[in-house]
Amino acid sequence: MNMKTTADRATGGFFLLFGVLLYFVIIPKYVEVADGAWLMPSTVPNAIAVVLSICGALLMLKPTAHRVQNTREMMFAGLYFTLLAAGLLLMSYVGFVYAAPVLALAVMLLIGERRPFWLLLGVVGLPAGIWWLVAYVLERALP
Amino acid sequence: MVDLATILAGFADAFTLWNLLFVLFGVVVGQFVGAVPGIGPVMAMAIAIPFTFGLDPLPAIAFLVGVNKGGLVGGAVPAVLMNTPGTPDAAATAMDGYPLARDGKPLKATKMALFSSVTGDTFSDLVLITVSAPLAVLALRMGPVEVFALMIFAFAVLSGLIGNSLIKGVIAAALGLLCAMIGSDPENYTPRLLFGYWELFDGLPLASVAIGMLAISEILRRLSQIQGEMKGAIEVRDTGDPNDRRVTWAEYWACRFTMLRGAVIGTILGALPGIGSTAAAFMSYATAKSTSKEPETFGKGNLHGIAAAESANSAVVGSNLIPLLTLGIPGSVGAALIISAFMIHGIQPGPLLFQDQGRLIYGLFGAMIMANILNLWVGQAGLRFWVKVVSAPESIIFASALLLCIVGVSMATGGIFGVAVMLIFAGLGYLMTSYGYSVVIFIISFFLGPRFEVSLSQSLALMNGDWTQIVNYPIALILFVLAAVTTAWFLSRRTPEDPGASVSIED
């Protein structure tokens, strides 16, 4: 079994279990029961859970030759995702005006930008431009 | 259904200076982002939607249409100059555009792309304007049972056509529907899958889901591919000969049949949900090559190759709106974003649109015609500038795109909670793309989810819960049978041995 096939079988297995979990645990716990209607609140979610499980099982049996991105790329994506999450957390405490320059600087440095002009533009010019557009022109609140 | 006065009033609404400015702005933004490899019109539309909240529906949607149309023209620029398509559908353009640029004729290649693109787009728009209203009349005869059957058929077709596996397509559609179930259920208004977050009672915010899955996840993918290595500025060769910088009328006219054929292919494929502009461009290119007297010159800088690809991929944009405006079913992710703009502005797409919002729809058609004219004008004036845009540093482009997404979603959802939802869907979108699950199907089924459930509920009520009564609805029955046949046919297809790179947002 090669690498490509393993990835499809793994995701197939995940959806098989996810469907089962949805049907037996999540939907009964988080969907309220209501009577007197043609369609119960849980009918469509239950049908989706069944479809997910069946398709997951089928994918395990009949995987495609899809290639997954290499591990290094996925790790970089995870790094940027974590950075964004940290930036949002910071933004929720100190606001956009203070958090945006830090986030822009971190992203630009991680991309590999070292030229002072572009860094200055990204850290000062960019957040200032967005502030001007949103707060001044559109008169809306920034996060 | 729509009287002449409404049609004229709609066009009159469109042709105002205010709307002209918005279409112009949209076209400029679209061409700009199309020229930047890695952004593209879909991402630009996703980012722009929240910024249109404060606008009236017509300028808002006209702006987005401008972005979409401009993006297709701009996407040809990096394809020609760097052999790196700004949008996936420009990949066929690169096959003949890049050899021309290498020979010192980059402006000739980009101008041919521009002229063919506008020609194909205009043809497609005329078809849209002509056929959508009569089709909507037919669609109006459909009741909830037929609508439900149509959605099942659309899911079957989309799941099979987009991506490399029907099973993965169905999983993506099921996930989209599942996310649409979050909130209150439409019949009893009881909370469903809220997990204690009452902010979700009205459902997941459209803007968060669309921008997270289409824009942020794509940015994450691009950033992960850069891995700290900045690309150098590109050098554009120029022979200095004025003839190599322009497309003469004779050269344009010589490509008329190629462009017409491309426009017809793009229009037909665009009207079918699921077949994107990339498929249209390659099909048109292959047809042009096979019917050419000099097939050996294709791939070596033949203007017919550019004309075939660009006329077809641009023709998809107009006809993509046919299923959206007549049936309320988006055929592509661009159309799905336009549907979200409609819904955000309180307009429900579908056959009733022509009856209830006829003036707005003909205003939209007017804006589309304006966008074509402006695309030509902005393209002519701006091509030299877009050539420079190709070399803009990715660091500033992606940093600005990220901040604009955060601010846009915060404005749309009224706080940081929506931004957090966006980030979750960005992660989901990235993983789905990486493992070959189409985010396009996910988004389309997410948009259709509430309507799907309502039409199912109404169908059950009409049939007293007895599905054997489906025999009284022949159109619905035919659609169910077609869905089953389509599914069986897609399942019987051989799985591609090597589908290549991961699925992109345009598929």
Side-chain angles (χ1 to χ4, degrees):
Chain A
M1 194 194 308
N2 60 26
M3 181 61 199
K4 296 177 283 185
T5 310
T6 308
D8 259 10
R9 288 210 163 115
T11 55
F14 168 80
F15 284 116
L16 171 63
L17 292 177
F18 180 60
V20 170
L21 194 70
L22 261 180
Y23 194 90
F24 289 107
V25 181
I26 298 174
I27 293 170
K29 190 170 180 187
Y30 291 101
V31 177
E32 287 188 13
V33 178
D35 294 321
W38 283 110
L39 202 60
M40 301 293 119
S42 60
T43 306
V44 179
N46 276 332
I48 292 168
V50 172
V51 168
L52 282 174
S53 285
I54 293 171
C55 287
L58 285 174
L59 193 61
M60 290 175 78
L61 295 172
K62 195 185 174 189
T64 69
H66 179 79
R67 282 203 186 113
V68 183
Q69 283 170 290
N70 67 44
T71 316
R72 192 175 150 80
E73 274 185 24
M74 294 191 92
M75 283 175 67
F76 260 92
L79 185 63
Y80 282 107
F81 184 86
T82 310
L83 184 67
L84 266 178
L88 288 184
L89 193 65
L90 182 67
M91 211 172 275
S92 66
Y93 284 110
V94 300
F96 177 87
V97 173
Y98 296 103
V102 178
L103 183 60
L105 179 67
V107 169
M108 291 178 82
L109 287 174
L110 207 54
I111 290 174
E113 185 59 78
R114 298 292 181 271
R115 291 168 291 184
F117 170 75
W118 292 111
L119 283 174
L120 197 67
L121 188 67
V123 173
V124 180
L126 185 60
I130 292 173
W131 171 82
W132 178 79
L133 175 70
V134 175
Y136 189 74
V137 178
L138 299 174
E139 295 180 338
R140 304 288 292 271
L142 281 163
Chain B
M1 182 172 66
V2 181
D3 55 40
L4 186 64
T6 306
I7 295 171
L8 292 177
F11 279 112
D13 286 347
F15 294 113
T16 61
L17 185 62
W18 181 245
N19 285 329
L20 180 81
L21 287 174
F22 273 100
V23 177
L24 176 66
F25 185 46
V27 167
V28 171
V29 170
Q31 290 197 7
F32 175 84
V33 296
V36 180
I39 298 285
V42 169
M43 197 188 293
M45 280 171 74
I47 295 170
I49 285 174
F51 290 90
T52 64
F53 280 176
L55 297 172
D56 288 333
L58 182 55
I61 294 163
F63 168 72
L64 295 173
V65 167
V67 173
N68 202 8
K69 284 174 179 280
L72 283 171
V73 169
V77 177
V80 168
L81 297 181
M82 304 160 62
N83 207 18
T84 307
T87 51
D89 40 51
T93 311
M95 291 161 80
D96 278 286
Y98 185 60
L100 271 176
R102 253 188 346 214
D103 291 344
K105 302 171 187 172
L107 276 175
K108 192 184 200 73
T110 44
K111 280 183 179 173
M112 190 68 221
L114 169 68
F115 298 151
S116 321
S117 182
V118 173
T119 305
D121 203 354
T122 307
F123 177 88
S124 169
D125 286 353
L126 291 175
V127 172
L128 166 74
I129 294 167
T130 315
V131 307
S132 51
L135 279 178
V137 174
L138 285 177
L140 266 178
R141 296 173 186 225
M142 296 168 73
V145 186
E146 286 84 2
V147 169
F148 178 71
L150 182 71
M151 277 196 257
I152 293 285
F153 177 61
F155 285 139
V157 173
L158 286 168
S159 304
L161 283 178
I162 302 180
N164 55 34
S165 159
L166 174 75
I167 299 169
K168 285 179 165 182
V170 174
I171 289 176
L175 284 177
L177 279 177
L178 182 66
C179 290
M181 297 297 115
I182 293 172
S184 60
D185 89 283
E187 199 154 344
N188 304 286
Y189 298 100
T190 54
R192 194 165 58 176
L193 301 171
L194 299 188
F195 305 104
Y197 293 98
W198 286 92
E199 295 92 333
L200 295 174
F201 190 76
D202 291 329
L204 286 162
L206 272 176
S208 303
V209 177
I211 295 178
M213 295 208 82
L214 297 174
I216 301 282
S217 73
E218 189 64 9
I219 293 171
L220 286 175
R221 194 168 70 82
R222 301 277 179 175
L223 288 176
S224 69
Q225 287 166 348
I226 297 171
Q227 297 185 6
E229 291 172 16
M230 298 279 290
K231 69 175 170 65
I234 61 148
E235 280 186 31
V236 179
R237 281 190 60 204
D238 191 350
T239 60
D241 182 353
N243 282 330
D244 289 344
R245 291 180 184 163
R246 65 178 183 211
V247 175
T248 62
W249 171 252
E251 286 170 325
Y252 174 81
W253 192 242
C255 294
R256 63 190 182 282
F257 292 120
T258 308
M259 284 187 284
L260 182 64
R261 188 170 45 230
V264 171
I265 290 172
T267 304
I268 293 170
L269 295 191
L272 304 172
I275 308 177
S277 47
T278 312
F282 277 100
M283 191 178 286
S284 172
Y285 185 88
T287 313
K289 189 178 176 182
S290 63
T291 54
S292 171
K293 289 173 184 165
E294 306 165 316
E296 71 283 354
T297 60
F298 276 71
K300 294 173 185 169
N302 191 328
L303 285 178
H304 285 268
I306 300 173
E310 282 296 311
S311 57
N313 72 23
S314 296
V316 169
V317 177
S319 59
N320 248 194
L321 296 185
I322 294 174
L324 175 73
L325 297 180
T326 55
L327 303 167
I329 293 175
S332 69
V333 73
L337 285 173
I338 290 179
I339 218 177
S340 72
F342 272 117
M343 288 159 82
I344 282 164
H345 286 279
I347 303 158
Q348 187 64 45
L352 282 172
L353 202 55
F354 280 87
Q355 192 172 295
D356 299 341
Q357 303 280 349
R359 191 166 165 168
L360 174 70
I361 293 305
Y362 282 92
L364 171 66
F365 291 160
M368 291 174 81
I369 293 168
M370 271 200 296
N372 289 346
I373 298 166
L374 290 171
N375 229 343
L376 187 64
W377 181 68
V378 173
Q380 283 272 53
L383 273 179
R384 284 179 179 78
F385 178 68
W386 307 140
V387 167
K388 292 193 170 26
V389 163
V390 172
S391 300
E394 288 163 320
S395 57
I396 197 84
I397 288 164
F398 288 125
S400 55
L402 283 173
L403 289 183
L404 283 169
C405 286
I406 292 170
V407 171
V409 170
S410 168
M411 278 166 53
T413 59
I416 208 82
F417 181 79
V419 185
V421 173
M422 173 194 78
L423 193 61
I424 290 167
F425 278 89
L428 179 65
Y430 177 82
L431 288 174
M432 282 180 69
T433 307
S434 299
Y435 286 95
Y437 295 86
S438 170
V439 294
V440 177
I441 302 175
F442 178 96
I443 290 284
I444 291 175
S445 57
F446 175 73
F447 285 141
L448 291 178
R451 205 169 149 216
F452 176 84
E453 197 173 12
V454 168
S455 60
L456 172 61
S457 169
Q458 290 172 337
S459 301
L460 284 169
L462 279 171
M463 295 189 290
N464 264 334
D466 178 10
W467 277 102
T468 57
Q469 288 193 36
I470 193 77
V471 290
N472 298 323
Y473 301 87
I475 295 174
L477 193 62
I478 291 169
L479 286 167
F480 278 129
V481 171
L482 279 175
V485 170
T486 310
T487 307
W489 184 72
F490 282 126
L491 273 176
S492 66
R493 279 192 317 176
R494 203 166 64 93
T495 305
E497 287 301 322
D498 187 3
S502 57
V503 182
S504 75
I505 57 170
E506 290 275 353
D507 286 302

